[in-house]
Amino acid sequence: MSTTIPTSGRNGSRPLENDDLSTWKASLGDPSKQSQGLLSAAFIQETLAMTRRLFIQLQRRPSTLIAGIIQPLIWLVLFGALFQNVPAGLFGESSNYGQFLGAGIIVFTAFGGALNAGLPVMFDREFGFLNRFLVAPLASRYSIVVASAIFIAALSLVQTAAILALSAVLGAGFPNLPGLVLVLGIVMTLVLGVTALSLGLTFALPGHIELIAVIFVTNLPLLFSSTALVPLDFMPQWLQVVASLNPLTYAIEPIRYVYLHPDWTLGSVVLQAPFAGVTLGASLGVLVIFCGVALALIQPLLRRRMA
Amino acid sequence: MAAAVTIENLRKSYGSVTAIQDVSLTIQPGEIFGLLGPNGAGKTTTIRCLCTLAVPDSGRIELMGIPVLEQPQVARRYLGYIAQEVALDKVLTGRELLELQAAIYHMPKSVALGRIEQMLSLLDLQDWADQKTGIYSGGLKKRLDLALGLLHQPDVLVLDEPTVGLDIETRSAVWSFLRQLKAAGTTILITSHYLEEVDALADRVAIIDQGQVIAAGTPSDLKDKIGGDRITLRIREFTPDDEAAKAKAMLADLPFVQDVIVNPAQGNSLNLVVERQADALTAVQQSLAAAGLPVFGISQSRPSLDDVYLAATGRTLMDAELAAVGQRDLKQEKKQAMKGR
């Protein structure tokens, strides 16, 4: 293998020059006057490039995808079997526990994926790869967040499809088409918000040990303090209050509702919280606000200059 | 002509550790500027601040006329940064990484395609472009790293220890590549703790020690300033202590000899600082012959940058390296750096 550096090239005796590049650089003009930021062409370009990297990684290392599909299905089967003999009627309107559980598993799976979104970025950071993004003139570092969110959302959609399919096989039925669209919308909103929080932590915490610790103490407690596994009226009063403040509940209940009610509307009451009845529309509102607040909260963290 | 980089009174501490105390330097357009100093002197912290990866506690940085601390976003467009450790995504191919790099600098596709081919051919990477970087050798990785850092043709290229851990062949290839870049007009800042590297490459150099610039100028100016020549003398391959002491006393009496140091680490070789004069070597040999002492080896040289460092700090760069090894808490430093501001 030769390590000499050739001196001839497309530009003849000027191997380092590149006329196209120079023209492009000159056309940039005064970069301080460029309109950059969210949704600019530059932002979309960098976001798609980062997303592409994540998909190439997945294609060449598909184990995450395979495990990611198998795991929620195991949850569905095992947890479903565990509570199979609970008398009908204890789980609200659901005819059996499997039907009740589907919505919880969909949301919890998407939530878990998004919560872990920061880990690969943290490894990039520790390894020094993230520095390439940090020293580049990114239109906004939100591109790092959005790229991860797109990737996790795509993964979650595949997982959701697998859960919906197995639930149907297990006798839970199937939401109608508008219901399916609603399910996908809920999953994507939740993924964007939680991915944002996870990446915020990645920029704020010193290393992957700390990040894993935070993920560890967040993941299961949020599952158990939501309506994923049991309905609200099954819980003691204090836990009902906690569950009504848990954003996961606002993702789970609408999905559960559209499973059972093909005639759903935005005004349908999907949750009897201790303070008031919550409509489907209000649930979606809570999710969108959660997502917006998460994105806004992490802004100062993304601006940090760190290595 | 306005300076390419101006750094003024930079100061940065991580917790209770002061990484740089007071660093000021000016880099002219088109020159290779060397930042020389032992490990832990503050070289990397200085360039982290310049490359918008860290915020100094105080001071001012300007790059191509842009205030870096106030407008990091604008400065990044002019800046190329090549870190000490090559960080690649081992699952991606070289070409895919170059495409990613082009996109985060917002190059139009048509421009990026040609530029990527150019960089691949320039760094002799074509045969490996479509292989995953996980299988690359150390030299290949460094070349891809250079291609990535240079893809957007930065006006100022910053390289942190560009040849640490590289084989000699790759090292000289990197050197000649940097010289070509300079010839094409790129301003280059390198840090190094290799004296020869800075001596061979840099037009100007700043020697940094314990977070402060202790000397700055062209390498030959710095060497001239401390004056005199160096004579390294070995009486025998391993000279006995008494013979070395005897020779030292005798040579110190010669009128043109300014200082004699016995170096026990090199088999009691004698290092003489002499006034620059044509017949110094002969005179030393004659007086040794008169005293009946043999000569195993003798050589005369101009002072090196290490002598400059020695004159400024009272210790050699090697001593400083060895002392720093015991003192640094690398884990702690890394932790502090990860915490950012």
Side-chain angles (χ1 to χ4, degrees):
Chain A
M1 181 179 64
S2 151
T3 44
T4 53
I5 289 162
T7 45
S8 64
R10 188 167 159 268
N11 288 271
S13 61
R14 300 176 300 134
L16 290 160
E17 308 291 312
N18 182 313
D19 298 337
D20 291 345
L21 186 75
S22 305
T23 313
W24 166 68
K25 275 190 82 173
S27 76
L28 287 176
D30 181 355
S32 62
K33 294 197 183 95
Q34 272 186 63
S35 65
Q36 291 211 327
L38 290 175
L39 302 181
S40 63
F43 180 80
I44 293 169
Q45 186 183 15
E46 70 203 27
T47 304
L48 291 182
M50 291 179 197
T51 311
R52 176 174 174 240
R53 171 179 172 228
L54 297 173
F55 278 105
I56 293 174
Q57 285 177 337
L58 184 70
Q59 184 198 342
R60 296 188 188 154
R61 283 191 304 213
S63 51
T64 5
L65 179 64
I66 296 163
I69 293 172
I70 294 175
Q71 198 212 26
L73 300 185
I74 294 176
W75 273 90
L76 198 61
V77 171
L78 286 185
F79 243 92
L82 208 55
F83 292 100
Q84 192 181 323
N85 296 327
V86 169
L90 273 183
F91 291 102
E93 305 164 70
S94 304
S95 55
N96 61 55
Y97 187 69
Q99 189 178 45
F100 177 87
L101 190 63
I105 299 292
I106 288 171
V107 169
F108 179 62
T109 303
F111 169 72
L115 191 61
N116 281 296
L119 261 183
V121 181
M122 180 60 97
F123 286 122
D124 274 351
R125 194 182 143 197
E126 291 181 1
F127 191 50
F129 191 85
L130 190 69
N131 279 347
R132 294 193 191 282
F133 297 156
L134 299 185
V135 301
L138 297 181
S140 163
R141 288 185 181 165
Y142 274 112
S143 53
I144 303 172
V145 179
V146 176
S148 295
I150 292 174
F151 175 70
I152 300 289
L155 217 59
S156 297
L157 292 191
V158 175
Q159 291 170 318
T160 301
I163 299 165
L164 286 170
L166 184 65
S167 294
V169 170
L170 294 176
F174 220 66
N176 59 7
L177 190 63
L180 281 177
V181 173
L182 186 80
V183 171
L184 299 189
I186 288 171
V187 166
M188 288 202 264
T189 311
L190 183 73
V191 162
L192 181 58
V194 177
T195 302
L197 289 180
S198 180
L199 289 193
L201 287 170
T202 301
F203 276 75
L205 295 173
H208 74 272
I209 300 288
E210 290 79 359
L211 182 60
I212 289 173
V214 172
I215 291 173
F216 198 71
V217 298
T218 320
N219 202 4
L220 288 182
L222 272 165
L223 171 70
F224 290 124
S225 67
S226 75
T227 57
L229 303 177
V230 294
L232 205 59
D233 53 24
F234 207 82
M235 302 176 185
Q237 182 68 26
W238 67 268
L239 191 54
Q240 285 191 22
V241 174
V242 175
S244 308
L245 297 172
N246 185 338
L248 294 189
T249 300
Y250 293 87
I252 295 164
E253 290 304 317
I255 296 178
R256 190 165 284 152
Y257 191 87
V258 300
Y259 245 106
L260 296 171
H261 305 271
D263 56 341
W264 60 273
T265 66
L266 288 179
S268 315
V269 174
V270 295
L271 175 71
Q272 275 301 336
F275 37 85
V278 180
T279 63
L280 200 152
S283 283
L284 299 184
V286 168
L287 281 180
V288 170
I289 290 168
F290 162 75
C291 182
V293 168
L295 284 168
L297 269 181
I298 64 167
Q299 190 183 23
L301 295 170
L302 293 181
R303 289 231 175 112
R304 282 178 83 213
R305 291 181 220 170
M306 42 95 210
Chain B
M1 208 175 191
V5 176
T6 311
I7 294 177
E8 270 174 20
N9 305 112
L10 211 60
R11 187 190 163 85
K12 168 83 182 170
S13 46
Y14 291 109
S16 60
V17 187
T18 306
I20 42 179
Q21 207 154 29
D22 182 12
V23 168
S24 298
L25 28 111
T26 310
I27 305 173
Q28 299 304 326
E31 73 175 350
I32 300 186
F33 192 96
L35 203 53
L36 177 70
N39 282 321
K43 302 185 300 281
T44 298
T45 305
T46 303
I47 63 172
R48 263 202 195 130
C49 291
L50 172 62
C51 295
T52 74
L53 287 170
V55 181
D57 302 336
S58 62
R60 201 174 70 85
I61 307 176
E62 217 169 80
L63 180 131
M64 308 299 291
I66 299 153
V68 172
L69 303 177
E70 293 76 19
Q71 301 181 27
Q73 184 65 11
V74 182
R76 286 178 187 131
R77 202 160 271 293
Y78 296 95
L79 193 74
Y81 168 59
I82 294 175
Q84 180 172 347
E85 279 170 33
V86 184
L88 302 172
D89 184 330
K90 64 180 177 188
V91 183
L92 267 65
T93 67
R95 191 190 304 279
E96 286 162 348
L97 282 172
L98 285 162
E99 285 163 358
L100 174 61
Q101 188 83 6
I104 61 176
Y105 283 83
H106 311 130
M107 259 181 232
K109 257 220 165 96
S110 56
V111 176
L113 273 176
R115 179 64 174 172
I116 288 171
E117 283 313 316
Q118 183 187 18
M119 294 315 286
L120 287 173
S121 106
L122 197 62
L123 286 151
D124 205 12
L125 284 161
Q126 298 106 316
D127 293 347
W128 297 88
D130 296 308
Q131 303 284 332
K132 290 182 206 166
T133 65
I135 65 161
Y136 284 18
S137 69
L140 264 177
K141 282 181 182 160
K142 194 72 199 183
R143 273 147 61 197
L144 178 61
D145 199 26
L146 285 171
L148 288 166
L150 286 163
L151 192 71
H152 64 290
Q153 206 174 55
D155 299 76
V156 177
L157 178 68
V158 180
L159 300 106
D160 195 3
E161 303 275 0
T163 63
V164 159
L166 295 183
D167 59 79
I168 292 170
E169 208 189 342
T170 311
R171 190 174 171 186
S172 65
V174 169
W175 284 12
S176 77
F177 186 64
L178 292 181
R179 288 199 187 97
Q180 282 187 58
L181 273 180
K182 172 190 138 85
T186 307
T187 306
I188 300 173
L189 169 63
I190 64 166
T191 75
S192 185
H193 64 282
Y194 292 143
L195 293 157
E196 328 83 82
E197 180 157 280
V198 171
D199 215 348
L201 283 177
D203 301 306
R204 289 194 309 129
V205 52
I207 299 179
I208 182 168
D209 186 57
Q210 297 178 348
Q212 276 177 307
V213 176
I214 53 171
T218 67
S220 62
D221 274 356
L222 288 176
K223 288 185 272 190
D224 284 346
K225 216 188 272 172
I226 63 164
D229 276 4
R230 300 292 180 276
I231 291 177
T232 308
L233 165 71
R234 305 183 99 167
I235 296 173
R236 299 176 198 280
E237 190 174 6
F238 298 99
T239 312
D241 288 348
D242 57 333
E243 250 179 28
K246 182 180 158 195
K248 178 183 173 178
M250 192 190 70
L251 293 171
D253 282 343
L254 292 174
F256 58 88
V257 174
Q258 293 165 346
D259 197 10
V260 183
I261 301 158
V262 177
N263 187 349
Q266 305 263 343
N268 280 346
S269 73
L270 285 96
N271 298 316
L272 286 70
V273 181
V274 299
E275 281 165 35
R276 192 168 299 160
Q277 60 179 72
D279 58 347
L281 220 50
T282 329
V284 168
Q285 278 171 310
Q286 278 169 354
S287 68
L288 284 170
L293 290 169
V295 174
F296 178 73
I298 187 164
S299 65
Q300 184 171 8
S301 60
R302 302 274 317 276
S304 69
L305 281 177
D306 202 15
D307 296 314
V308 175
Y309 185 82
L310 177 68
T313 63
R315 52 188 189 152
T316 67
L317 207 52
M318 182 72 85
D319 293 338
E321 293 270 290
L322 290 175
V325 168
Q327 282 172 4
R328 283 184 100 184
D329 186 344
L330 285 169
K331 251 191 197 157
Q332 191 60 30
E333 278 177 37
K334 170 103 180 161
K335 228 179 188 173
Q336 293 288 356
M338 288 287 282
K339 279 184 190 156
R341 292 171 199 257

